[in-house]
Structures are given as structure tokens and as C-alpha cells.
Amino acid sequence: MCGIVGYTGKKQVDQILLDGLKTLEYRGYDSAGIAVLDNNKIKIIKKEGRVDRLIEETKISDTTGTCGIAHTRWATHGKPSDENSHPHFNHSKNFAVIHNGIIENYQSIKASLIDDGYIFSSETDSEVVAHLLERDFDGDLFNTVRNVAMQLEGAYAIAVVSTHEPDKIIAVRQETPMIIGVSQGENILASDLSAIVNHTNTFYRLDNGEMAVLTPSDTTAYNLDTGKRIVKEMLTIDWDISQAKRGGYDHFMRKEIAEQHEVIENALRGRLFDDGQVRLTELENIKDKLINARRIHLIACGTSYHAGLVGKYIIEDLLRISVETDVASEYRYRNPILTEEDVLVVISQSGETADTLAALRLAKERNAPVIGIVNSVNSSIAVECDSVIYLNAGPEIGVASTKAYISQLLVLNILALYLASIRDVKVEDITEIAKDLLSLNSLAKKLLSEDVVIKEIAEHIKDHNSCFFIGRLIDSAVALEGALKLKEISYIHAEAKEAGELKHGTLALVEKGTPIVSLMTEVSVSDKMYSNIMEVKARGGHIILLTNDQEATSELADDLIVIPKIHRYVTPVLSVIPLQLLSYYTAIIRGNDPDKPRNLAKSVTVE
Ligand code: G6P
């Protein structure tokens, strides 16, 4: 949550900062602001609302300068407003600060600053940093920032500029991400790679308790506690900028749905072979523990959690080993039964979700091996887990996750097959599963080209206040993801229910015309599902049937979506695509921006 960017070099900084903010806007879009150093003065321009409003504002302001910092906000402390926007100034306007995270002890710091006569102009936790810098300034910017950071508790990625040392940016990281891009005659920092890839492909990652000093000619990292210089490993970005652009699509979400057939190939490449052999060299280091593991915990948030729910069905069914799936925000606080004989699998697109990271650390405290299924290379989760299986899906920008979910489903399939192979579990239908996984690319491509029918269905549901998603077994897990997608971008209330549970409450909400997206791909329970659909239909529900039964007719369904019939473990990859498209088109028809749903952000780095 919140995106930060900073640049020092020889070029005009305003455009660089604004471009950076545009790419980071998915991290929060309540307000945006920049601070630029010029002639020993700092100029701050900040505005409530999207980065585009800030861009308009900068057109009528003088923002000349070659060093600056910028921020796009997802509000935590204080409503979205101009005053609460970052950067924040101290009273004398010689320090400017941007912050991503939450300073948990800000109230006591604020009280002591107010006692000392400091006046606050915002309701944010972050503003305390600006005043602390003024109060504690000892003539050396690095020392002062370090001393101030040592007073802070919580999660923060902070960047500071000051008129005292005008071409310098000082950064500190504790828990929230910070990447430093290294180049000739210029250096840049940002919350993630998408904001630096335009300038350089060489970077290093600040870890917790580390600081960085950036000047045009140099960047050096330090340990926050000791103040000593540290050597960081230089890394290379291996994707190109075009992947982080919309490429002719109206929205990132639509582009990311369209990319899914390529994403399928990237997730499977080198991991699955025609004969059903799987290779996950990433897990060699913990293979013995996996062979002997008693239980598997699949922990994640949001869409990644929904992928974990599908994973539970597959792994339990295939391996007959108990799998627990939970949302990280509950799991971390409920004292789970987790020992060194268990394996924790954390699933995260961003690799930065605070609750998921906390679950990972809990497992490490308890000596349980941790596997990360992660998209963002070198993210916190990727770095801290024992073994990481990358999704290789490329940058996902749309707040509503689509292609990452599909990749997660594939990797969970591969993980299940890998576990079966090392634990000597005979998989009767291994060649069928492998064949179906490998055919997904072309099947998905075909499905994606048939979106006309989905647009029509979107027209049918666009004016309803509520929509229900029902299914049984694996379909019930996919139903949860379908409902989440619809609610988060269309703002129609959407609820998923196991079809067998309908009679225990949800059925009371079904009226004439209520849209009921009914997933019916699980053959073993299709009769039961049929009856549940009839029960809803008898109460006037409008049935949108998603099935792999090629004989299905409109007798049962008011609207019909037929997907190819493939192995049940693999089916969710196809069944979710029409649901993603349905949410996308419904959002568009209702005039919403699907890439930036209200109140949400892509990377949830606060609890
Ligand atoms: C946010 C995003 C979702 C995502 C969830 C978990 O809510 O909007 O798309 O599924 O966080 O994020 P992660 O990066 O850990 O998968």
C-alpha cells in the first residue's frame, strides 16, 4: 500500500517522478504528491485523488530540479485529502518525507512533539518523521535520519530529502518494500521494480533494518543499528518495460486476462513433461522434509487464498495427506497447530502482503519448512522462505488479480504431482492430468476469444444489487473467486456459497431475477448440483450456468457458458476465465475503473 519513488541525477526530476507514480498507482490512489529540490528550496505539490490530478497541477507550477521524491497514497491514518497527502514538510520546510507503512508509536511521538511546540498540518502518522528530523537535526543528514528511524516502531519505507544536502536522498526500510535502482550518473528508489525499469535494469533490494544513501554518482547501503556500510548484492531485472504497459488494451485487467494463455506456458515450462514427470529443482533443499511432512498448510490472502482452497482439494485428494488452508490474517494470530513436521506453503502474487509474511515468520519460529509460491522476484516473501516457486507470470498491475491466480493454480497442480512423485504415491491418471495441463494454453486462448456471450450476461446482471455464486467441491472454491472478482470491481454485492448450504440461509435472499452463477463441472456431484439449481430456479433465480457438460442446453440455464471438459484438478484454470471476464465487463458497463477499484490497493503491506 502506498507507492514511493525518488530520483537524483542530472535529468529534470518532475517527469521521472510522475511517470514513476503512474506505474505505482496500483499501490494506492487516494492522493499523490512530489517534492522537488531547487536552489536550496524544496517545492511540494500534492493533491487528493489520482496521479492525473497531480499531473495537471504540476503543469501550472514550477517544478524545476534534478532531485526529488514522490508518493501515491492508500489512506490509513487520516482521510484522503490534500493535507494528508505526502510528501510532508517540517515547519521550516527544509526536510520533506514520504512514507509507506504504519508508524505504530506515532501517537506518543506526536504528543511529545506537540509539547515541544510543533504544529501538525495533517492527521497522518507519517508527519511525525518530518518534525522529528527538524527537532533532532545534528548537522549530518544521514545521522539524523538514522536517529529518527531508530525511534520509530512499526512498518516503514521512508525517503527523505533536505536542503541541507540538496542532491541526496536518504532511505530507510523496515518491513515495507524498497528497491534501489543503480545507474550511471543517476540513482532511483521505488517501492517496486516497475517504477525503475525505465531507467536501469540493475538494482538492489533494501532489507529490514537497512538504509541507503543516494546521490547522482553513488548509492551506498548501511545497517540501521550499527550505522556501518554494507555490501548489497546487485540484481538484474529480467523483464522488459513493455510487460508493465497496457499494450493496446483499455485496462491492465483486460490485458492480464488476455495474457493468461502465455502465463500458462510460463508456469509450466521446465516443470512438467508429456509423460507426467515433474521437476521442481527449487524444492531440492527441503525434499526430505517434504517426504516426511505430516500436514501441509496453505496460507494466503485474497485471491491467493482462493487458489489455496483449490490446492487443498487437489493435494488432499491426490496424496491423502491433511491440508489446512487459511487466510493469513487469522492464521498468524490463532496459534495454529504448526510444528516442524508440517510444511507451510505461502501463496502471494506480490510477495509483500504483511499478513502472509507474518505467517511465514511464524512457521520459521516453529522450525517448519516454508515454500513460497510467489510472482514478484526478490520480494520479501520470496527472499525469506526456504524455497520459492516463482509463478513467472510477469508484472500484474490490475488490482484485481487474474493471471497470477491462474499461475497459482498451475503451480499448485505441479506441487501436488511433485509431492506424489517424491512420496511414492501412484497417480493413476497422471498422463491425463499432464496432457490436460499441457493443453490448457490453446484451450484458454479459444475461451478468451469467445467473450461475446459474457458481455451479454454482464448486461443481464449489471442492474442487480446482489449476485450469488454456487458450486460443489472444487467448484465451490472457484465460486469464491468469481464472487470476489465481481464485488471488488463492479461493486455489486456478490456472495459465494457451497450449493449444499443454500438451504441453510442464503436461499432466503433469492428473488425473481436474482442472478445465480452456478458452477457445475464436478461430475461426481452433478446430480446434487442439478437439484440445487432447480431449487433456486423454483424461487425465480436467474441461472447463469457454467458447465463442462457439452450436452448442456438452455433448459436448466437462463444463460449458458460451456467450457471444455478436462481433468477436475485442471478445470478451475478454465472455469475462472469466464468469471473474470464477467466481472470485468460488468464493471465497464457500470462505468467503473476495473484497474483501480475504490478503497482497494494491490499490495497490502499493512495489517
Ligand atoms: C490484495 C489484492 C488482491 C490479492 C491480495 C493478496 O487484496 O488486491 O488481488 O489477491 O491482496 O495479495 P498477494 O500479493 O499476497 O497475492
Side-chain angles (χ1 to χ4, degrees), residues 411-478:
V411 167
L412 284 162
N413 264 286
I414 300 290
L415 178 63
L417 293 176
Y418 172 81
L419 291 173
S421 74
I422 61 171
R423 292 168 71 107
D424 285 333
V425 175
K426 184 155 174 43
V427 183
E428 300 292 345
D429 38 9
I430 181 85
T431 47
E432 188 198 337
I433 300 172
K435 179 176 87 26
D436 287 348
L437 279 165
L438 293 167
S439 69
L440 276 175
N441 181 348
S442 56
L443 296 178
K445 206 177 206 167
K446 184 152 182 300
L447 208 52
L448 284 160
S449 67
E450 294 165 357
D451 64 352
V452 181
V453 57
I454 309 292
K455 284 183 191 160
E456 279 169 20
I457 301 174
E459 288 288 347
H460 296 165
I461 67 172
K462 71 173 197 301
D463 295 322
H464 285 271
N465 296 326
S466 257
C467 180
F468 296 92
F469 288 70
I470 59 172
R472 283 175 174 258
L473 304 179
I474 295 180
D475 283 340
S476 71
V478 181

Side-chain angles (χ1 to χ4, degrees), residues 301-304 347-351 353 356 399-401 408 488 601-602 604:
C301 299
T303 290
S304 301
I347 310 170
S348 177
Q349 187 286 128
S350 63
T353 303
T356 311
V399 166
S401 182
Q408 289 162 349
E488 69 182 328
K602 182 134 194 87
V604 183

Side-chain angles (χ1 to χ4, degrees), residues 529-550:
M529 191 63 205
Y530 186 92
S531 305
N532 295 139
I533 294 173
M534 291 310 279
E535 287 155 11
V536 179
K537 209 172 164 65
R539 272 112 193 138
H542 177 98
I543 305 297
I544 300 158
L545 180 65
L546 190 155
T547 180
N548 55 4
D549 177 359
Q550 308 301 309

Side-chain angles (χ1 to χ4, degrees), residues 30-33 44-49 53 71 73 75 77-90 97 110 119-128 130-131:
D30 289 328
S31 65
I44 289 184
I45 301 167
K46 51 188 193 176
K47 272 274 155 252
E48 185 196 338
R53 281 194 72 194
H71 186 272
R73 177 168 187 248
H77 294 63
K79 60 185 179 303
S81 68
D82 289 354
E83 298 72 35
N84 290 333
S85 311
H86 298 221
H88 291 288
F89 258 145
N90 63 318
V97 177
K110 188 168 177 174
I119 297 166
F120 280 74
S121 52
S122 79
E123 304 156 287
T124 65
D125 53 337
S126 317
E127 193 185 343
V128 296
H131 298 302

